[in-house]
Amino acid sequence: MMVESASETIRSAPSGQNGVGSLSGQADGGGSGGGGVGTAGPAGGSAGRDAAAGADSNGEMSPAELLHFQQQQALQVARQFLLQQASGLSSPGNNDSKQSASAVQVPVSVAMMSPQMLTPQQMQQILSPPQLQALLQQQQALMLQQLQEYYKKQQEQLHLQLLTQQQAGKQQPKEALGNKQLAFQQQLLQMQQLQQQHLLNLQRQGLVSLQPSQASGPLQTLPQAVCPTDLPQLWKGEGAPGQPAEDSVKQEGLDLTGTATTATSFAAPPKVSPPLSHHTLPNGQPTVLTPRRDGSSHEETPGSHPLYGHGECKWPGCETLCEDLGQFIKHLNTEHALDDRSTAQCRVQMQVVQQLEIQLAKESERLQAMMAHLHMRPSEPKPFSQPLNPVPGSSSFSKVTVSAADSFPDGLVHPPTSAAAPVTPLRPPGLGSASLHSGGPARRRTSDKFCSPISSELAQNHEFYKNADVRPPFTYASLIRQAILETPDRQLTLNEIYNWFTRMFAYFRRNTATWKNAVRHNLSLHKCFVRVENVKGAVWTVDEREYQKRRPPKMTGSPTLVKNMISGLSYGALNASYQAALAESSFPLLNSPGMLNPGSASSLLPLSHDDVGAPMPLPSNGSSSPPRLSPPQYSHQVQVKEEPAEAEEDRRPGPPLGPPNPSTSGPPEDRDLEEELPGEELS
DNA sequence: CATCCTGTAAACAACA
DNA sequence: CTGTTGTTTACAGGAT
């Protein structure tokens, strides 16, 4: 009864604080009840436990967490890789190197939307997880753009050549000239194909870290570039000093130009339908997930293995040292045999790859749309600063936020097969780490109190929070309030609040004991939460006055403010055509179920700015939906100003029971209910 | 640096 | 007895 699934499911894994070690026993979900366990010496010891366990080989980590971390890692890698790639881009010998070099710097920083460079940490402070994710996407998009710029340049040159030849060959017979043109056009076409393929390959390689042999360790460096602070702990940290070898990668990519012509794979990303079964074969030769450049993939040298490089196992998160290939194979067979874990990891990897491919396609289309919109002929040489387009700040952000724009229902999000992964499909690359690794309690919640930011952000990103195991940037108090205010009655029982949390946030489906305690703690602690005795028990309500009373927001340049501004920009300032382009671009590509970006899933359609986004349809809460709570149409859930009526009611009237009616039928509190208070929030 | 705010842990009581 | 609900205390760490 009542014990909603959450309490059971995972029990461990508290937010992945850093592993402090201290494998002290206790730490079971029960926490509070036992009483006896208490004190357990070292503060915070219990918290770190799980993470630490994950790091070790003793399979403590649940498959779910593995999936999470792996995804995270892969995405990080991809990101890093793209970054490197972009910076390496300048080197293609030809004349535009200078340009592109500077160009790389500019757009990125601009994309950050802050005149001054922000450190990732700062960014994380300022931005909410979804925004961070969006930013990352933006960055990637920019990288891609730059790559495309590069290719475009080459196309330019071809064009130039063509022209010059045309002129030079004036005397030549027309048909010859026509042929030449044709040839050039073909070349151009090829170019484009290559470009796409190259991009694709970049993505793939960045993720799959294939074929280390190819270049003396280009990719090896990547894993370690991955946010050293979080992953390593979980995946068994690695400290190997990496060699700087980014150019080899780039080289490889460029070399492509000469040969490859098959760009087909791009159009049809591997469907990876049967989630399992392709991975480690019993004999130890894992079928590499992404066949990498189709046919040519078999080039791997006899003495190498796609998953083996630099003396270590490249299995995601493994990095076990192996002296030689034989040892590695052995290791592969033992450690990465066909089991749930490997399977899950494989699946994740597939998803990651697929996701990135989709994203690539999406970004490409977006680029097209952008260029179309800006009347840029594809061949027209553009000054580099261009890509950023007129409205630097807002647009770049809005684009980002919307980018994922996977407006399709999340229904299929979860990997069908189940087995080991109740996990949420993805997590924003950058912020996964942000929210997880950070040692202590996740501070820096956006200070709610600011009226509706929470509701708006929630509305906008609710899909994200629902699916991604990311800690929401709100305080417990604000969340509780939100939960309560979202209901018609403006009242919830404790358990219903719990349910709301678990329903709305994947994050809270995990370590229940902790946050439930926190919820109770907050309910008791804050005067703004008023407990009202009811016939069927007690319910909690919100005293808005009290709530608003709390320390005033302090607008000046606080991160919160910045954040709000940003989000405001991003969501509000979209221009229609742009949106259209985005939407257009994203729709067709997203038909693949497994992948989507929760990050902004909901952002595109419903809302324009602030609160607007009503409590979202949210039909998808499969399991634990309490009876009430149903009305999706109920909008404006958050009456920030709520004020009098409710307050006085809450005042906990002397009479023992009075008003509240018998359980069923009408809401006891009749009182509020209808005040719609449309014009609220947002000073 | 002091203070406030928040998150986390935990002890404990009342109750079902 | 166990688990839930509430209350309270303590502490750590970020923000002001």
Side-chain angles (χ1 to χ4, degrees):
Chain A
M1 49 285 325
M2 70 164 333
V3 188
E4 69 304 280
S5 58
S7 66
E8 245 326 275
T9 48
I10 315 213
R11 123 197 196 265
S12 61
S15 79
Q17 326 211 347
N18 52 18
V20 185
S22 91
L23 305 174
S24 63
Q26 79 137 6
D28 68 6
S32 68
V37 227
T39 61
S46 60
R49 166 178 158 279
D50 318 62
D56 230 336
S57 54
N58 61 2
E60 262 291 285
M61 208 175 207
S62 74
E65 287 157 49
L66 276 173
L67 283 172
H68 277 310
F69 292 129
Q70 184 172 0
Q71 272 187 334
Q72 207 176 325
Q73 188 189 37
L75 287 173
Q76 285 274 6
V77 169
R79 176 168 155 242
Q80 288 290 341
F81 186 80
L82 281 172
L83 284 169
Q84 287 189 8
Q85 198 61 28
S87 55
L89 214 161
S90 56
S91 48
N94 64 26
N95 51 8
D96 42 64
S97 57
K98 275 182 295 179
Q99 264 184 328
S100 58
S102 57
V104 171
Q105 298 285 355
V106 177
V108 172
S109 60
V110 175
M112 296 302 191
M113 215 204 119
S114 58
Q116 70 295 49
M117 291 298 249
L118 293 177
T119 70
Q121 287 178 343
Q122 285 172 318
M123 298 253 313
Q124 288 168 1
Q125 287 187 343
I126 293 176
L127 301 176
S128 71
Q131 285 170 332
L132 272 172
Q133 184 193 16
L135 258 188
L136 284 176
Q137 289 178 355
Q138 165 79 351
Q139 281 186 42
Q140 291 184 357
L142 283 171
M143 303 303 167
L144 293 177
Q145 277 189 0
Q146 283 154 16
L147 275 175
Q148 297 198 344
E149 285 300 333
Y150 167 71
Y151 283 105
K152 220 181 300 166
K153 286 264 174 196
Q154 291 195 335
Q155 289 179 3
E156 288 314 312
Q157 294 203 329
L158 281 176
H159 269 304
L160 278 179
Q161 285 183 21
L162 177 60
L163 286 180
T164 49
Q165 295 218 2
Q166 271 180 333
Q167 291 195 338
K170 262 184 241 159
Q171 65 278 31
Q172 285 184 0
K174 270 191 182 174
E175 50 186 37
L177 208 161
N179 283 342
K180 266 196 171 159
Q181 268 183 325
L182 250 177
F184 271 114
Q185 283 178 346
Q186 281 182 346
Q187 227 171 335
L188 275 175
L189 234 166
Q190 206 175 18
M191 217 28 206
Q192 286 177 331
Q193 288 179 339
L194 281 175
Q195 166 183 354
Q196 289 181 334
Q197 192 176 7
H198 180 197
L199 294 178
L200 179 58
N201 278 335
L202 288 185
Q203 304 260 1
R204 283 183 175 171
Q205 289 178 18
L207 288 182
V208 189
S209 72
L210 289 171
Q211 131 169 78
S213 58
Q214 160 96 25
S216 55
L219 299 174
Q220 280 70 4
T221 61
L222 294 178
Q224 112 189 89
V226 170
C227 190
T229 50
D230 49 339
L231 295 169
Q233 289 165 347
L234 305 159
W235 289 84
K236 165 177 254 153
E238 92 174 293
Q243 299 107 304
E246 61 262 33
D247 22 4
S248 46
V249 176
K250 149 207 73 204
Q251 239 174 355
E252 193 224 344
L254 293 176
D255 290 349
L256 270 172
T257 53
T259 56
T261 50
T262 59
T264 50
S265 66
F266 172 78
K271 257 307 169 215
V272 287
S273 40
L276 318 185
S277 78
H278 23 276
H279 78 142
T280 313
L281 301 176
N283 67 4
Q285 271 307 51
T287 15
V288 178
L289 295 179
T290 55
R292 134 168 269 275
R293 205 191 306 169
D294 314 354
S296 65
S297 63
H298 302 333
E299 59 197 333
E300 40 178 81
T301 33
S304 74
H305 186 288
L307 286 174
Y308 177 64
H310 261 25
E312 33 179 66
C313 173
K314 302 314 251 181
W315 188 276
C318 178
E319 288 152 29
T320 300
L321 294 175
C322 301
E323 303 208 350
D324 55 24
L325 192 64
Q327 192 180 344
F328 162 73
I329 294 292
K330 197 173 161 189
H331 159 81
L332 201 58
N333 281 326
T334 57
E335 296 299 317
H336 307 302
L338 177 59
D339 57 13
D340 283 351
R341 197 174 103 163
S342 301
T343 300
Q345 289 177 315
C346 249
R347 216 178 309 148
V348 171
Q349 190 69 12
M350 286 190 287
Q351 290 191 349
V352 169
V353 171
Q354 198 179 349
Q355 153 93 8
L356 283 167
E357 285 171 345
I358 290 172
Q359 167 131 11
L360 172 62
K362 204 164 50 181
E363 300 296 349
S364 297
E365 277 198 40
R366 178 182 307 176
L367 174 64
Q368 301 288 339
M370 288 172 70
M371 297 197 329
H373 174 68
L374 300 177
H375 308 298
M376 279 168 62
R377 290 178 329 215
S379 59
E380 184 176 345
K382 267 300 174 182
F384 271 91
S385 48
Q386 221 301 294
L388 278 201
N389 84 28
V391 232
S394 64
S395 72
S396 68
F397 256 94
S398 44
K399 156 188 178 182
V400 167
T401 16
V402 174
S403 68
D406 339 290
S407 38
F408 59 165
D410 67 326
L412 304 178
V413 171
H414 299 270
T417 52
S418 72
V423 193
T424 58
L426 8 137
R427 106 187 313 151
L431 59 86
S433 58
S435 59
L436 286 187
H437 84 327
S438 60
R443 307 277 150 188
R444 178 161 80 281
R445 317 238 157 308
T446 120
S447 77
D448 43 292
K449 68 195 65 166
F450 206 66
C451 314
S452 54
I454 179 174
S455 64
S456 62
E457 166 137 355
L458 220 48
Q460 288 162 357
N461 301 308
H462 105 271
E463 275 300 332
F464 173 78
Y465 289 121
K466 209 169 92 184
N467 294 314
D469 183 22
V470 173
R471 179 172 196 131
F474 311 107
T475 63
Y476 281 112
S478 57
L479 287 173
I480 294 169
R481 169 175 167 273
Q482 180 70 17
I484 293 173
L485 293 183
E486 269 189 19
T487 64
D489 302 359
R490 305 285 167 77
Q491 60 175 35
L492 283 178
T493 66
L494 179 64
N495 198 43
E496 286 167 336
I497 294 175
Y498 289 162
N499 288 336
W500 185 86
F501 271 67
T502 52
R503 196 173 56 250
M504 299 294 285
F505 303 96
Y507 178 85
F508 291 121
R509 289 194 269 269
R510 306 184 76 223
N511 37 319
T512 61
T514 300
W515 66 260
K516 284 185 176 177
N517 185 23
V519 167
R520 291 194 304 273
H521 171 71
N522 274 267
L523 284 171
S524 294
L525 194 64
H526 298 304
K527 276 185 290 192
C528 57
F529 297 119
V530 183
R531 185 171 170 275
V532 177
E533 284 293 339
N534 205 345
V535 178
K536 62 171 180 180
V539 292
W540 290 93
T541 61
V542 178
D543 181 343
E544 276 300 324
R545 237 190 276 139
E546 280 296 330
Y547 187 82
Q548 304 295 347
K549 246 197 246 176
R550 302 183 307 165
R551 178 146 57 179
K554 269 292 177 7
M555 299 279 293
T556 55
S558 72
T560 304
L561 174 63
V562 174
K563 189 177 105 60
N564 288 334
M565 281 171 49
I566 289 170
S567 69
L569 282 175
S570 61
Y571 298 122
L574 272 182
N575 89 25
S577 62
Y578 192 50
Q579 261 194 7
L582 290 179
E584 220 175 346
S585 71
S586 24
F587 268 101
L589 297 164
L590 291 173
N591 49 12
S592 104
M595 308 304 350
L596 81 173
N597 261 329
S600 41
S602 59
S603 56
L604 183 54
L605 335 162
L607 17 84
S608 46
H609 75 309
D610 48 60
D611 135 339
V612 185
M616 53 297 214
L618 180 64
S620 49
N621 54 12
S623 47
S624 62
S625 64
R628 57 172 51 169
L629 221 300
S630 42
Q633 72 283 52
Y634 176 72
S635 60
H636 289 309
Q637 68 282 35
V638 191
Q639 275 24 332
V640 195
K641 322 212 207 139
E642 210 26 313
E643 81 272 36
E646 177 156 8
E648 57 192 19
E649 174 65 335
D650 296 336
R651 280 296 79 130
R652 191 190 256 285
L657 38 127
N661 70 359
S663 52
T664 58
S665 66
E669 308 290 344
D670 51 278
R671 50 128 186 286
D672 37 352
L673 256 290
E674 43 252 7
E675 81 279 87
E676 271 307 275
L677 271 236
E680 89 280 43
E681 45 66 26
L682 221 336
S683 59

